[in-house]
DNA sequence: TCCATATTTCAGGAAATATGGAATTGTTTT
DNA sequence: AAAACAATTCCATATTTCCTGAAATATGGA
């Protein structure tokens, strides 16, 4: 991931409403998403303000949108999030490999292994 | 990690010089760090501008400082970085567990396992 | 076509942020 | 004590961000 893309993503996430938006969309799921109006209602934000914030998230590649009927649905972009996390990890990994593994291990502990079938690994 | 702390950390990282600073300090290592002047020289930044940026990183808990002789040395705060990554991962993990493991696996692949002794696992 | 709904665009003002010059504080050396 | 060095603080300026009300655009239904 390019440095400028990382900076865009960080700036996009560094605002309360926008951080809430991506969390909300992540919870909704990458294939479900939410309509702009529902997001506004859930976060108690004005339509035009939220629209501006969604546009910033869109520009940063953290969400994508799709028109459905008269509403516009927003979905989280998992790949961009992954790219961002990867970049931040590289800061430790690349520079000081000894730091990388324990950090990842700790992170992984917070997220217990799911019982997953092997066959749905190629989901993306 | 608190949401406000996360927002502070994200805002602190969302600026080119500051992002460079933490990467530089991570490379130097958490016990080595760098003097403010050396950072300024390495990043080709003016002393006062860099000082302001270091102060923002300090406030966000991403670095710590220590006076050594007439220079002031800055060190990366690994724990805060870990906290930030953990929070961002929770966005997927907590809301949609199915997304968590593959994402972590991919991240982990970018950072091949180190040959480490088991006995130094309790380093923190 | 007319109307209601959903969302975005536009124009603005207030607040926050970024940067640079000059002055200041703290530390070491002579 | 004075000078040199390292870093910060102070102050002014330029830029950017954030939010709002009003208007515009797009879609679906009567």
């Amino acid at each position: 991931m390019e440095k400028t893309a990382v900076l865009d993503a960080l700036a996009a996430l560094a605002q309360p409403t926008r951080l809430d938006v991506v969390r909300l969309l992540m919870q909704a799921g990458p294939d479900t998403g939410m309509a702009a109006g529902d997001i506004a209602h859930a976060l108690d934000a004005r339509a035009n303000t939220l629209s501006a914030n969604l546009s910033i998230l869109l520009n940063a590649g953290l969400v994508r949108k799709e028109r459905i009927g008269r509403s516009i649905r927003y979905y989280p972009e998992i790949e961009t999030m992954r790219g961002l996390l990867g970049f931040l990890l590289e800061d430790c990994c690349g520079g000081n490999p000894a730091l990388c593994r324990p950090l990842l291990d700790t992170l992984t502990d917070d997220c217990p292994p799911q019982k997953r079938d092997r066959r749905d690994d190629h989901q993306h």
Side-chain angles (χ1 to χ4, degrees), chain A residues 5-97:
Chain A
V6 170
L7 286 169
D8 285 347
L10 288 170
L13 292 175
Q15 201 273 350
T17 303
R18 292 196 296 263
L19 185 58
D20 286 342
V21 168
V22 312
R23 299 177 79 191
L24 203 58
L25 292 181
M26 288 288 189
Q27 285 173 24
D31 299 323
T32 307
M34 283 177 76
D38 292 343
I39 300 173
H41 185 260
L43 301 183
D44 196 31
R46 305 242 151 94
N48 57 352
T49 302
L50 182 78
S51 180
N53 281 322
L54 284 172
S55 151
I56 289 169
L57 288 172
L58 199 60
N59 198 282
L62 286 164
V63 304
R64 71 177 204 280
K65 71 173 169 179
E66 182 188 7
R67 165 140 245 154
I68 296 198
R70 64 177 102 184
S71 64
I72 294 183
R73 231 173 159 76
Y74 284 84
Y75 309 86
E77 278 283 14
I78 311 286
E79 275 306 313
T80 305
M81 192 59 114
R82 195 203 312 272
L84 174 62
L85 291 176
F87 185 95
L88 293 179
L89 278 172
E90 273 174 28
D91 288 359
C92 304
C93 243
N96 192 341

